[in-house]
Amino acid sequence: MSGQFTMNIAWFLLLMVFFNGFASHGATTNISTRPQFVNVGAMLALNSIVGKVAKVAIQAAVEDVNSDPSVLSGTKMIVTTQNSNYSGFLGIIEALRFMEKDTVAIIGPQNAVTAHAVSHIANELHTPLLSFAVTDPTLSSLQFPYFVRTTQNDLFQMAAVADMVEYYGWREVIAIYVDDDLGRNGIAALGDLLAEKRSKISYKAPLVLDPTRNNITDVLIKVSLTESRIIVLHVYPGWGPEVLSVANYLGMMGTGFVWIATHWLSSYIDSTMPLPMSTLDNMQGVLTLRMYTPDTEQKRKFVSRWSNLTGGNQIGLNAFGLYAYDSVWLLAHALDAFFDQGGNISFSNDSRLTQMPRGDLNLEYLSIFDGGSLLLRNIFGVNMTGTTGSFKYTPDRDLIRPAYEIINVIGTGVRRIGYWSNHSGLSVKPPETFYTSPPNHSSSNQSLYSVIWPGETAQQPRGWVFPNNGRHLKIAVPNRASFREFASYTRSNDMFTGYCIDVFTAALNLLPYAVPFKFFPVGDGKRNPRSTDLVHTIQTGEYDAVVGDIAITTNRTRMADFTQPYIESGLVVVAPVKTTLNSNPWAFLRPFNKMMWAVTAAFFLIVGTVVWILEHRLNDEFRGPPRRQLVTILWFSFSTWFFAHRENTVSTLGRLVLIIWLFVVLIINSSYTASLTSILTVQKLSSSIKGIETLLESKDPIGYQQGSFAKYYLVEELHIDSSRLVPLVMPEDYVRALKAGPHKEGGVAAVIDERAYMELFLSSRCDFSIVGQEFTKTGWGFAFPRDSPLSVDLSTALLKLSDNGDLQRIHDKWLLRSPCTSPGAKLEVDRLELRSFSALFIICGGACLVALIIYFSMMCHQFTKRYTDSLSSSGSSTSRRLQTFLTFVDEKEEVQSRSKRRSMEKMSNRSAGEDDSSNSSKRRHIDQYSCASRSFEDSNNA
């Protein structure tokens, strides 16, 4: 019985243990028992400026968190600080020590080298790393998911630098950087961002970690011998000022230099103010970036406490200190959410570590944080407002709204010249003013205040100089065989002359700096070198530039950059021409084009009709049978061409219209006579070839200048068989081939070459002429390597030469020749077009319209006054009224006057004392006059 009872008790205890275990692992997973404390590690470089500030900020944040009952609900945060001192090896050792103490998270590390090393441990043991100072952009969330950057990514800082370079119009920069993960990866990001803006890093100057003054001097001497003067300095605050000191000693802080320091310099200045004057002297004119933190209430309170927190030590608060403070609060909020979601502080052994042979390393003490992934999700889910402003993560695990202040070191302090934000780019207004509007990075929206550059100058540096290493620019010049007026080389005295050479040297003289160069002839002087091959030598690095008659074509722009064209030139067709006179039997029609003839004829008829309408009621010469009236209109209209019309105009409106029309006819007549005289008497050059279209339709051979791009264009673009093309070198070869013609050996139907050459060729050869239109539009320019700043400056100088007239004077000196004065000189007489006389026709048409409106207004008024009562009383229809109106308009003015007088006589008072006998005699006289008038009209109608 006793044994049975004991057995039951054992089974009961076993079931209790089982159910307790089941409950602890199943039913109560959402119930968390908050621990009394959590262990957090902090990895700092305590000897550095950032480390000293961060230590104070972290301690203050831990005190604030532990004293705030609304966070962690009584759980205390214990932070243990270790000094890694920028060492990856020490960082690994310290991280392993933290893992032995059941650490749930590590604040840090402080530098990129340590972060790369420790992140592998964090990935294995599921311990989040919250780094407030590592800005290395390669610490991505994909490779290192447990690395949490609680500061700004260097990718945004380099974007700000790239925008500044673009804003000031620079194309090349020099990068001086610390040769570790921070420096290499940051500068690599800068190079990618500059490439998007067609800029580049022309020279990279790495520095060893903790360099000596001699190391820095050696690097800066090499930098001073380069071309670019835009220097980006990406190092650590501890020894960055030493680089500026050496630069000042070497004269690299003077006029012409631009120094852009990343946020290390602003951190150094903020933490060591006031700076000694000797240190400030080394920084004058430097631009630097400072991570922008808005002026929140939390920030103001923390800044006001800072002096008390430091215990009177002369160390200022920088942006990294603010991010270190917020990192502690970020972890506190994440832990609070972690506990609310049922998270427990528990650790388990790493199976891979237990399988390793035992040794003296005690790896069995390292354990995996079971709730690491849940805590990590809560960290990235925190949305709070800290001393740095709104603290929240994007889907890419970067802090939202990255922004920087742009600082200019000047005098005894610094001056803010603007801001940069990922939302709006460069601006003089704080970034938060743009967050309510859509992102806008347009160039017109970018702005910064003026800068005092190194050398205490407000004038923006050009950004580059010629290398101070004694090397001259090697400039290739084509040693031409023909058309040496453009570029030629005399071997006896080693002289280069010609139009292109003079233009180049004149443009160089306008530059505000000296350009050391030396010309090198390319070619044997017997054959023209191919211009494309010359440009290719720039791409291969054999020459630094090409000066000569180089046409700017598409394939050449892929090899080099060209200046502004200094002469326009395109392909034209030159063919033999012969002198003829215009013997066309229809040549008399050529002075006017078809539209001009049609409008002129129409206006003859319109004016004749208008004059007939205005004269019909008053003038007997415009009355009679319809056929006679039509003949009168036609005769009157066309006789005005010769001012021979016999009909007189008696109405005022008719005379007004006729005067205006005769003036128009006078102008047209004079123009026609002058143009016809020119057409019939001036000699004309004619050719069977009308342009490139004629050559495309035929199979005749075509000549081109050997070495020019004409062959490539004809074959590749116009698809002309290369067997039809005949290379020619000298102008004499042109003459011989053109005179021989297409049907003889070596002859051609036409020559295709650039206009600049052909105008010089034709200036003294009048048997040939340009036929058709220029079928390409190109120009000549000087070629330089891609993105060369000299091409931009020379383009500006060429525009100045054009504006002041020097370019034309150089042209006249080399290319102006006596014009061809033979009888065969071409003089093209253009036909007269309607637009040349449009104003006259508009005035004449307007006069006709106004006259008709006035005339019909008068007719309507008279008709209404005479017939309104009679038509109203009889109730006439509309057609009857219209018929009556037309009859009224057709009446002669005198009949209307007689009827009007008769009506007045009937209405007069016969008892007014008038003599009846006198009235009778007057009526007989009127009747006789009416009969005579009626007889005259009947005879005319007959």
Side-chain angles (χ1 to χ4, degrees):
M1 185 70 178
S2 167
Q4 183 67 28
F5 178 79
T6 304
M7 182 66 67
N8 291 336
I9 293 296
W11 278 108
F12 177 78
L13 293 175
L14 181 63
L15 290 174
M16 288 294 294
V17 171
F18 175 78
F19 282 114
N20 285 337
F22 175 78
S24 64
H25 289 87
T28 61
T29 54
N30 292 328
I31 298 176
S32 172
T33 302
R34 291 179 179 255
Q36 293 182 353
F37 60 88
V38 290
N39 291 323
V40 177
M43 298 178 63
L44 306 176
L46 296 179
N47 295 329
S48 67
I49 293 175
V50 174
K52 293 176 181 178
V53 173
K55 181 181 179 181
V56 176
I58 291 173
Q59 291 174 349
V62 171
E63 293 178 2
D64 293 343
V65 168
N66 291 336
S67 61
D68 190 343
S70 64
V71 182
L72 295 180
S73 300
T75 299
K76 301 299 181 180
M77 182 184 293
I78 299 177
V79 177
T80 304
T81 303
Q82 298 290 349
N83 184 13
S84 64
N85 198 25
Y86 285 103
S87 172
F89 173 73
L90 293 180
I92 295 175
I93 300 300
E94 298 301 334
L96 294 176
R97 289 182 177 178
F98 284 135
M99 302 310 175
E100 293 177 349
K101 300 177 182 178
D102 295 340
T103 301
V104 298
I106 297 176
I107 299 175
Q110 188 176 318
N111 73 315
V113 175
T114 307
H116 276 275
V118 176
S119 291
H120 292 285
I121 301 176
N123 289 347
E124 182 68 23
L125 302 181
H126 297 182
T127 305
L129 300 177
L130 283 72
S131 178
F132 58 89
V134 175
T135 57
D136 181 359
T138 63
L139 285 166
S140 63
S141 58
L142 296 178
Q143 183 181 5
F144 305 111
Y146 281 86
F147 176 82
V148 181
R149 182 183 288 109
T150 59
T151 187
Q152 297 296 346
N153 192 331
D154 252 355
L155 191 65
F156 301 113
Q157 179 176 215
M158 296 308 171
V161 174
D163 281 353
M164 292 168 62
V165 171
E166 182 186 35
Y167 176 78
Y168 290 112
W170 300 317
R171 286 291 174 263
E172 295 183 2
V173 302
I174 295 173
I176 301 177
Y177 58 97
V178 57
D179 193 14
D180 65 357
D181 293 328
L182 171 72
R184 287 191 302 269
N185 297 331
I187 294 303
L190 175 62
D192 294 338
L193 293 165
L194 287 173
E196 295 177 2
K197 303 178 182 301
R198 293 200 63 188
S199 300
K200 66 178 181 179
I201 299 175
S202 60
Y203 183 76
K204 293 182 179 180
L207 286 166
V208 298
L209 193 64
D210 292 330
T212 64
R213 191 173 180 88
N214 290 335
N215 297 143
I216 297 173
T217 301
D218 292 341
V219 170
L220 291 186
I221 288 176
K222 295 177 182 178
V223 170
S224 66
L225 298 177
T226 59
E227 182 178 279
S228 177
R229 286 294 181 262
I230 313 301
I231 302 173
V232 177
L233 187 58
H234 188 47
V235 292
Y236 290 111
W239 48 270
E242 185 70 12
V243 177
L244 298 178
S245 174
V246 175
N248 191 28
Y249 174 76
L250 295 177
M252 298 176 64
M253 298 299 295
T255 304
F257 282 89
V258 174
W259 287 81
I260 302 176
T262 51
H263 51 49
W264 68 264
L265 181 56
S266 62
S267 300
Y268 176 81
I269 294 174
D270 291 341
S271 299
T272 55
M273 291 294 283
L275 290 174
M277 285 305 302
S278 59
T279 304
L280 279 172
D281 289 342
N282 298 329
M283 302 177 180
Q284 293 300 301
V286 176
L287 296 178
T288 185
L289 299 173
R290 176 194 288 156
M291 286 180 283
Y292 175 71
T293 54
D295 191 19
T296 62
E297 182 180 357
Q298 292 89 332
K299 179 181 177 180
R300 288 193 296 269
K301 291 180 179 179
F302 186 63
V303 171
S304 65
R305 296 168 51 197
W306 183 253
S307 60
N308 294 330
L309 293 173
T310 57
N313 294 331
Q314 294 297 320
I315 181 170
L317 177 62
N318 55 42
F320 288 113
L322 297 175
Y323 280 108
Y325 181 85
D326 284 350
S327 298
V328 176
W329 277 96
L330 171 69
L331 179 59
H333 284 290
L335 284 171
D336 191 50
F338 171 79
F339 292 136
D340 288 342
Q341 296 170 10
N344 289 308
I345 305 299
S346 62
F347 296 86
S348 58
N349 293 329
D350 190 338
S351 60
R352 289 190 292 181
L353 292 178
T354 57
Q355 293 175 2
M356 295 181 64
R358 293 182 176 271
D360 297 334
L361 294 178
N362 297 323
L363 298 178
E364 65 273 10
Y365 290 105
L366 300 179
S367 56
I368 298 175
F369 178 28
D370 297 329
S373 60
L374 178 60
L375 178 60
L376 184 67
R377 288 197 301 271
N378 282 295
I379 289 174
F380 286 114
V382 169
N383 184 3
M384 69 177 193
T385 300
T387 60
T388 58
S390 180
F391 209 99
K392 183 180 179 182
Y393 284 95
T394 67
D396 295 331
R397 297 191 175 185
D398 288 318
L399 292 179
I400 63 171
R401 297 176 178 175
Y404 293 86
E405 295 178 75
I406 302 175
I407 308 298
N408 183 202
V409 182
I410 187 66
T412 58
V414 296
R415 172 176 171 263
R416 183 174 57 230
I417 64 169
Y419 303 87
W420 179 92
S421 71
N422 195 40
H423 187 83
S424 57
L426 301 174
S427 173
V428 296
K429 296 180 180 179
E432 57 265 23
T433 60
F434 300 97
Y435 290 149
T436 56
S437 58
N440 185 359
H441 286 264
S442 62
S443 57
S444 60
N445 195 49
Q446 308 300 295
S447 61
L448 292 174
Y449 289 122
S450 59
V451 178
I452 303 300
W453 304 98
E456 298 184 359
T457 177
Q459 183 178 1
Q460 177 186 326
R462 186 174 64 250
W464 69 280
V465 295
F466 282 96
N468 191 22
N469 53 13
R471 192 179 75 87
H472 288 58
L473 285 180
K474 294 176 62 178
I475 301 178
V477 177
N479 187 16
R480 296 187 55 84
S482 61
F483 299 108
R484 295 173 62 84
E485 292 86 350
F486 294 102
S488 64
Y489 170 66
T490 306
R491 188 177 301 274
S492 60
N493 55 6
D494 195 27
M495 288 290 294
F496 293 86
T497 57
Y499 169 72
C500 301
I501 304 299
D502 282 4
V503 171
F504 178 74
T505 54
L508 283 185
N509 292 334
L510 293 179
L511 296 181
Y513 50 87
V515 180
F517 69 92
K518 185 176 181 181
F519 288 134
F520 292 86
V522 178
D524 55 8
K526 299 178 181 179
R527 296 170 57 87
N528 295 329
R530 293 184 70 247
S531 299
T532 302
D533 293 342
L534 283 171
V535 177
H536 184 65
T537 60
I538 297 177
Q539 195 175 29
T540 60
E542 184 177 356
Y543 292 102
D544 300 314
V546 176
V547 171
D549 47 338
I550 310 298
I552 304 174
T553 61
T554 303
N555 61 325
R556 294 173 187 171
T557 56
R558 298 190 183 104
M559 306 177 189
D561 279 352
F562 285 84
T563 62
Q564 172 83 14
Y566 57 88
I567 187 173
E568 293 185 359
S569 184
L571 293 179
V572 294
V573 178
V574 174
V577 292
K578 57 183 179 179
T579 304
T580 60
L581 287 175
N582 198 332
S583 57
N584 190 338
W586 296 98
F588 68 89
L589 295 176
R590 290 195 60 195
F592 294 160
N593 61 9
K594 294 181 180 179
M595 182 60 68
M596 181 65 183
W597 278 117
V599 173
T600 302
F603 261 84
F604 274 115
L605 297 177
I606 292 172
V607 172
T609 303
V610 170
V611 172
W612 176 83
I613 293 173
L614 299 176
E615 295 290 324
H616 179 66
R617 301 185 73 249
L618 301 174
N619 196 338
D620 292 333
E621 294 181 356
F622 289 87
R623 299 184 64 83
R627 184 174 60 183
R628 176 186 172 187
Q629 296 180 48
L630 179 61
V631 172
T632 300
I633 292 174
L634 295 175
W635 165 256
F636 180 83
S637 299
F638 291 102
S639 63
T640 55
W641 179 276
F642 311 101
F643 303 98
H645 53 282
R646 63 179 180 82
E647 292 79 8
N648 294 321
T649 53
V650 297
S651 66
T652 303
L653 293 176
R655 289 174 177 175
L656 177 63
V657 170
L658 185 59
I659 289 173
I660 296 175
W661 172 243
L662 290 178
F663 176 74
V664 175
V665 169
L666 174 64
I667 301 301
I668 295 176
N669 196 359
S670 302
S671 302
Y672 174 84
T673 303
S675 181
L676 182 62
T677 302
S678 299
I679 290 173
L680 295 178
T681 59
V682 172
Q683 292 178 334
K684 173 186 171 184
L685 297 178
S686 63
S687 174
S688 59
I689 298 174
K690 304 303 180 185
I692 187 63
E693 296 80 7
T694 306
L695 296 176
L696 292 175
E697 295 172 357
S698 69
K699 300 296 182 182
D700 295 334
I702 303 171
Y704 71 94
Q705 183 184 167
Q706 179 261 329
S708 73
F709 79 99
K711 180 179 180 180
Y712 172 84
Y713 185 85
L714 295 175
V715 174
E716 300 296 332
E717 301 295 335
L718 300 183
H719 308 292
I720 295 177
D721 193 342
S722 59
S723 61
R724 294 178 55 192
L725 303 180
V726 178
L728 305 171
V729 179
M730 304 299 292
E732 292 75 15
D733 298 336
Y734 290 21
V735 176
R736 182 173 60 256
L738 288 171
K739 287 186 175 180
H743 304 297
K744 293 184 180 180
E745 185 68 23
V748 296
V751 172
I752 294 179
D753 205 347
E754 296 183 62
R755 178 178 287 276
Y757 299 124
M758 290 298 93
E759 288 180 349
L760 186 62
F761 171 76
L762 296 174
S763 62
S764 58
R765 296 172 176 87
C766 303
D767 297 336
F768 313 104
S769 179
I770 296 175
V771 295
Q773 299 294 323
E774 185 176 357
F775 57 93
T776 64
K777 291 290 185 182
T778 59
W780 292 356
F782 305 128
F784 291 91
R786 297 298 299 270
D787 299 324
S788 171
L790 190 57
S791 64
V792 178
D793 290 350
L794 271 182
S795 294
T796 304
L798 289 172
L799 292 175
K800 292 180 180 178
L801 285 178
S802 178
D803 293 340
N804 61 26
D806 288 344
L807 193 61
Q808 184 62 42
R809 282 188 284 272
I810 298 174
H811 178 277
D812 295 343
K813 171 186 174 182
W814 288 100
L815 306 181
L816 187 63
R817 296 290 184 269
S818 299
C820 188
T821 57
S822 69
K826 183 176 182 180
L827 180 60
E828 185 68 27
V829 179
D830 295 329
R831 289 184 171 189
L832 298 175
E833 298 181 356
L834 176 61
R835 60 186 178 186
S836 302
F837 304 91
S838 57
L840 291 174
F841 286 122
I842 291 174
I843 293 173
C844 183
C848 293
L849 181 63
V850 171
L852 289 176
I853 292 174
I854 295 174
Y855 176 76
F856 281 108
S857 298
M858 295 172 58
M859 290 300 98
C860 292
H861 176 71
Q862 294 178 8
F863 175 77
T864 302
K865 186 176 181 181
R866 178 178 177 184
Y867 289 101
T868 299
D869 295 339
S870 60
L871 292 175
S872 299
S873 60
S874 61
S876 301
S877 62
T878 302
S879 58
R880 177 60 180 171
R881 289 172 178 269
L882 179 60
Q883 182 178 1
T884 304
F885 177 74
L886 294 176
T887 303
F888 170 75
V889 171
D890 189 56
E891 287 183 0
K892 197 169 186 303
E893 183 71 24
E894 292 179 354
V895 176
Q896 180 184 356
S897 299
R898 183 194 65 180
S899 301
K900 185 176 181 180
R901 287 195 299 271
R902 183 175 297 173
S903 299
M904 291 177 63
E905 289 174 359
K906 288 180 179 181
M907 294 173 64
S908 63
N909 189 359
R910 297 179 179 177
S911 61
E914 295 180 354
D915 190 355
D916 292 338
S917 60
S918 295
N919 291 338
S920 298
S921 62
K922 287 181 180 179
R923 282 194 296 272
R924 284 195 303 271
H925 182 71
I926 292 173
D927 291 341
Q928 291 174 1
Y929 176 80
S930 298
C931 291
S933 299
R934 192 177 297 109
S935 300
F936 179 77
E937 291 180 1
D938 292 340
S939 63
N940 288 338
N941 292 334

